[in-house]
Every structure is written in structure tokens, then in C-alpha cells.
Amino acid sequence: MFHRSVEEHAAHVRALIAPALPTGVDTVALGAALGRVTAAAIHSPVDLPLFRNSQMDGFAVVAADLATVLVTGAPVTLPIVGEVAAQPGTPPPLVSGTAVRIMTGAVLPEGADAVVPVEDTTATTDTVTITRARARGEYVRDRGSDLRAGDPLLPAGLRLASRHLAALAAAGIEEIEVRRRVRIVVISTGAELAPTWRKAGPGEIYDSNGTALTAAATACGAEVTFAMHPVEDAVSQFRGSLLVGATHADLILTSGGISMGAYEVVREFWRANGGEVGHIAMQPGGPQATGVFNGVPVISFPGNPVSTQLSFEVFVAPILREAAGLPPARREVRTLVADLRSAAGTRQFLRGRALPDGRVEVVGGPSSHLVAGLAASDLLLDIGENVTELKAGDPVETIDL
Ligand code: AMP
Ligand code: MG
């Protein structure tokens, strides 16, 4: 039975999980790439823009033909010899002394070197009178002016958001290589657990930890293969769940069955199978256990829903976020609204809420079964081991949920 600080157990969990994190690569279509992390730097196969085109609706011209406007201020009138829309094809070259009606995004005809916006012209069907001169290159989007073929488009290790996918699509990239996600199996233990798809009978409660851990792991960029719960609190059933889970996971998360009562199957199992069971100087989430089953690391959390969720947040979420290229949870120092007390020698994670003025208040009670209290909070107050009381107005460190 170990006794550890939060930091010591966090280091132990990290050492257990780190070697199991997948190093492989998945090839995915762009449509399935949102939130995935690039496995390698991606270079553009093409120039962007793909071709020289107009930035405005107006007239493609030879800038030199507008010299008079520039020098004397007198308008210039040119014959309109055609029209180019944003559509497939290559327009004929533009001859000096003429103009072509052009739309935004349309291919600039060979020979043209500027676009006069429609606002600076008056036109009949055959002629256009230009009242404001434009220099060479104005309102022209040159081929490759955004990016050249072969230039780096996205770096390795980047978590893909819509803007990154847009850049890939613009470059005509259909499939990319992304890091494999951490595959997780979630096991909820407890003979009292009922699934939400049927009514809980007498003495039964709904399994909320399975849902909580599945969602939390997914939010950290992992892939939850499946969640399950053995129907009895029997060591053989827990073992069976691990056996199935280990073939589908890089990491297994379990909840329940590690405290001091009877029917603590997870605790019994780890005692007999090389796991470690102990206590962390932390509240909630004091009891913790870990082990390895068939080569797969298993992190066993206590069953109380708040304990489970906070344990995940403190010990596992940072590792998964890092693996998925996500930033760590935001920590901030805020001001307390009211006095609070905390047990000596225990790091406390209180549930809290930020007020509109930025100060922070504690939400709900300290008991670790208060699942609605946790749902009503949007941050945790991290109260150090040696702090026994804080006063209204004192600074307190918070972690965003
Ligand atoms: P245990 O750690 O198994 O002794 O469970 C501690 C408390 O958490 C008990 O009240 C259990 O009923 C409750 N509990 C355990 N597992 C879950 C779960 N998956 N969902 C909701 N509550 C649970
Ligand atoms: Mg139990």
C-alpha cells in the first residue's frame, strides 16, 4: 500500500502510460481529419493561388494604358473586347488599348497586368471609361503569392482546426497522415450499476463514470474503443473485462472497487496481479491504483463520480492532451469570494465557479458523490497540501474544466 503526493502519483502514472502511447500513423481523408494531429510536416504540392486571377469585379487592363489618367486626371475610354467569369478555361490574351470585363477569381488574361474595380468606371456595352488609374499588379492575385509549390503548408504535431483543413483543401490535398490516437477502454465496476437505457431497480444507480470517462478521454483527443461494466463485483468478471479490453486499448481506465470495504474487486485483483494500490494526499480521489494487464497500462480510479472525474483530470488528462497536441488545462490565480477551510496534509480540489467580475466561489459541498455539484462548476480550486484556511479576497489557483 503506497502513500504518495499528487505529484508523485502523477509521475508514476506518466511513467506507466508514456511507453504505451501509440507511435503509428493513420491515413485519413480531410473530412475525417478535424481534431487529428499531423504526423509529419505537409508541403504544398501546388502554387497558391493556383493561377493569376482578379481580386475584384471590374476590368482587366494594361496599366500603362491608364497613364493619361494618372498624369492629367482625364478619364480614359477603352473598348471592351470580352468578359471573363470565374469558371473553367483560359481566356484569350488581352491586347494593349483594350479592356476585358472580369469577375473576382477569374483568370487574368495574358497581357493584362491590373484590374480596375467596377466602382471606378462607367461602362456601356462596348466601352468602359476609367476615372482612376491603377498601377501594375493592383487587384491582381499572383500565382504563388500565398504559397509556392514545395513550401511548408502545415508543421508536424499540429492539431487540425477548420482553417488548417481549408488550407489543405485549397492545395487539393485529399488525404493526410495523422498520429494514431490513444485507444482507450473504460471499465466501470460495481454490481449496483445500471445502464441508462433501463430503469434502475431498487439499490441500483446509473453508471455515470463510464459516460464521464468516455467523454473526458474523447475531449482530450483519445479514441474510446468501448466502455463496459462487469455485472457482478467478482474478480473473475473484472479479469474478463480486462482481457477483452486489453486487445482493444493502449490504455485502460477503470472506476470503483479500490477502497477499504468488502467487494473491492479491483483492489483484490491488483493485489494478486502485480498492481499497486494506495492512497494519495488528495481530496477527492484519495484511493488510487494502477497495474499492467497483458502489457496494457491500467489506471484504476475510485468509484465516487467526483473522485473519478477529478482523478482523470489530474493524473491522465495532461498526458492525453499532450499526446493529442492540445494545450494543458488553463490555470489562473483568482480572488476568493468567501472564506474556506481545508484539511492539513491534503491537496484539495474544490469545485467552483467564476463570477462575472472574475472572482471565484465554491459550488456545492465537499463530498465526492455530488455529481450535480460538479456539473454546476466550471473550474477547480487547487488548494495546496499545507493550506488550512483562506480568507475572502485571498488569491487562489484555479484550473479550468
Ligand atoms: P466504490 O469505489 O466502488 O466503493 O464506489 C464508491 C461510490 O461510488 C459508491 O457509492 C458507488 O455506488 C459509486 N459508484 C461506483 N461506480 C460508479 C459509477 N460507474 N457511476 C456512478 N457511481 C458509481
Ligand atoms: Mg464498488
Side-chain angles (χ1 to χ4, degrees):
M1 167 111 182
F2 60 75
H3 288 271
R4 293 185 185 136
S5 67
V6 169
E7 290 80 4
E8 286 165 347
H9 191 61
H12 167 77
V13 169
R14 185 175 282 272
L16 204 61
I17 296 179
L21 294 176
T23 51
V25 161
D26 286 335
T27 302
V28 295
L30 276 201
L34 183 66
R36 301 298 296 268
V37 176
T38 52
I42 299 170
H43 297 262
S44 182
V46 293
D47 287 336
L48 280 180
L50 294 169
F51 51 86
R52 201 169 67 127
N53 68 87
S54 176
Q55 193 176 325
M56 294 294 263
D57 293 327
F59 291 87
V61 296
V62 177
D65 291 345
L66 307 182
T68 333
V69 188
L70 197 63
V71 176
T72 68
V76 161
T77 299
L78 300 171
I80 301 170
V81 297
E83 181 181 285
V84 214
Q87 61 183 30
T90 305
L94 184 84
V95 177
S96 172
T98 68
V100 159
R101 206 183 287 276
I102 194 162
M103 312 304 151
T104 305
V107 179
L108 207 75
E110 201 58 55
D113 60 11
V115 172
V116 179
V118 75
E119 293 84 344
D120 297 332
T121 66
T122 46
T124 64
T125 41
D126 304 326
T127 63
V128 57
T129 301
I130 295 165
T131 50
R132 179 165 172 197
R134 292 291 169 184
R136 278 189 72 181
E138 267 195 273
Y139 295 118
V140 173
R141 307 195 280 213
D142 269 325
R143 172 176 177 154
S145 55
D146 194 6
L147 205 68
R148 295 248 169 236
D151 279 354
L153 183 57
L154 298 177
L158 180 77
R159 187 177 160 86
L160 294 164
S162 54
R163 64 188 180 283
H164 308 124
L165 298 180
L168 294 169
I173 294 172
E174 222 188 337
E175 277 186 342
I176 54 163
E177 295 202 324
V178 293
R179 287 190 199 159
R180 253 194 57 204
R181 283 187 295 215
V182 183
R183 291 170 316 148
I184 291 181
V185 164
V186 173
I187 302 174
S188 307
T189 72
E192 74 278 32
L193 299 182
T196 48
W197 49 260
R198 68 165 171 82
K199 200 154 176 57
E204 288 187 325
I205 61 163
Y206 296 109
D207 169 16
S208 67
N209 291 346
T211 296
L213 291 175
T214 299
T218 307
C220 288
E223 175 187 356
V224 176
T225 325
F226 52 81
M228 57 179 157
H229 66 85
V231 293
E232 276 176 47
D233 271 335
V235 172
S236 59
Q237 287 217 3
F238 180 63
R239 185 173 205 288
S241 306
L242 290 179
L243 207 54
V244 176
T247 61
H248 293 87
D250 305 306
L251 169 65
I252 297 177
L253 303 176
T254 78
S255 74
I258 58 167
S259 32
M260 291 303 200
Y263 313 106
E264 307 287 10
V265 288
V266 179
R267 179 191 186 86
E268 270 179 60
F269 177 83
W270 287 130
R271 288 220 148 149
N273 291 280
E276 291 185 64
V277 183
H279 198 272
I280 316 296
M282 158 179 176
Q283 210 279 318
Q288 297 287 338
T290 60
V292 177
F293 185 85
N294 284 357
V296 178
V298 184
I299 312 299
S300 291
F301 300 129
N304 268 310
V306 178
S307 308
T308 302
Q309 293 182 54
L310 295 202
S311 305
F312 174 87
E313 196 51 43
V314 171
F315 298 118
V316 176
I319 304 166
L320 296 183
R321 289 204 186 98
E322 212 175 289
L326 282 167
R330 201 158 60 112
R331 281 181 169 270
E332 257 178 302
V333 175
R334 294 180 183 267
T335 304
L336 264 181
V337 167
D339 300 356
L340 65 82
R341 298 186 151 280
S342 182
T346 301
R347 176 122 162 235
Q348 254 208 306
F349 293 96
L350 297 174
R351 278 67 73 202
R353 185 159 49 199
L355 302 180
D357 65 8
R359 289 182 307 157
V360 67
E361 67 177 4
V362 173
V363 174
S367 297
S368 32
H369 65 289
L370 299 171
V371 70
L374 180 55
S377 62
D378 52 27
L379 49 76
L380 300 175
L381 286 73
D382 184 353
I383 316 290
E385 272 183 42
N386 301 319
V387 177
T388 52
E389 68 173 326
L390 290 172
K391 295 279 176 213
D394 279 353
V396 64
E397 193 163 338
T398 63
I399 310 168
D400 280 4
L401 285 174

